Amino acid sequence: MDHDKYAVRKAIKEDCESIQRLIQELADYEKMPNGPQLDPKTLEQDGFGTRPFFEAFVAVEKESNQIIGFAFYFFTYSTWQGKSLYMEDIYVQLQHRRKGVGLSLLRSVSQVALSENCVRLNFSVLNWNSPSIEFYKSLGASDLTEKEGWHCFRMNRAEIEQLAQCKA
């Protein structure tokens, strides 16, 4: 990364409006423009309230002082190996890619994982996103669908509510 042009730092509450804008850019890139349901206030509450559900780094272009990228993460636990970190999303605006910004964000997340003694850094990549898949593989990441056959599943709110009401 060109350290004269960019800086990576921990996100603060005041960054949430810019982060929300970038989340929408990411959704547009991932061909899911109607996906994001969060406003900046929700991000503030969920990330900087009394019980934070995520932490984040932001990349800032020094000249403009604009946030041009982010990496969201949170801690999980592996019943097989222990402490883990899950990177929910990483994004860098298109015009700032291939300048080391994404790598610097990912390196910052990996440093947190090591400082917390995590044994895993997990994340997901859309199957059509070949540039990202190749980038992560070049860093030593394993595609768990290829290697171990793991598939990711999700239950949305309606399914959670339905399941919670079931009587055994």
Side-chain angles (χ1 to χ4, degrees), residues 9-120:
R9 62 168 171 77
K10 288 285 281 190
I12 57 174
K13 183 168 61 169
E14 292 75 18
D15 296 331
C16 289
E17 193 168 316
S18 295
I19 290 170
Q20 194 277 332
R21 180 179 42 79
L22 292 176
I23 290 170
Q24 185 61 56
E25 284 183 25
L26 172 61
D28 294 344
Y29 174 77
E30 291 180 337
K31 303 171 185 149
M32 299 178 198
N34 298 321
Q37 307 291 313
L38 302 173
D39 60 23
K41 192 56 110 181
T42 303
L43 288 172
E44 286 180 24
Q45 293 167 350
D46 292 348
F48 303 95
T50 55
R51 183 176 180 217
F53 279 80
F54 69 85
E55 295 181 48
F57 285 100
V58 293
V60 179
E61 182 184 42
K62 289 182 178 179
E63 184 177 323
S64 66
N65 201 35
Q66 295 295 305
I67 295 174
I68 54 96
F70 67 83
F72 269 49
Y73 63 93
F74 55 88
F75 295 96
T76 64
Y77 198 82
S78 163
T79 56
W80 290 7
Q81 293 185 319
K83 295 179 185 178
S84 303
L85 188 145
Y86 188 87
M87 184 173 62
E88 173 65 20
D89 271 323
I90 185 169
Y91 176 73
V92 175
Q93 289 181 313
L94 189 60
Q95 66 270 30
H96 299 285
R97 293 184 190 163
R98 299 201 166 277
K99 298 176 183 177
V101 177
L103 179 60
S104 291
L105 285 164
L106 185 55
R107 184 170 283 129
S108 295
V109 171
S110 69
Q111 289 167 349
V112 169
L114 288 176
S115 73
E116 294 293 334
N117 201 28
C118 293
V119 295
R120 295 179 176 178

Side-chain angles (χ1 to χ4, degrees), residues 117-144:
N117 201 28
C118 293
V119 295
R120 295 179 176 178
L121 169 55
N122 295 311
F123 49 92
S124 299
V125 181
L126 289 167
N127 62 354
W128 57 261
N129 193 344
S130 299
S132 293
I133 291 169
E134 294 309 312
F135 172 69
Y136 295 129
K137 284 183 174 181
S138 77
L139 297 174
S142 299
D143 181 335
L144 292 180

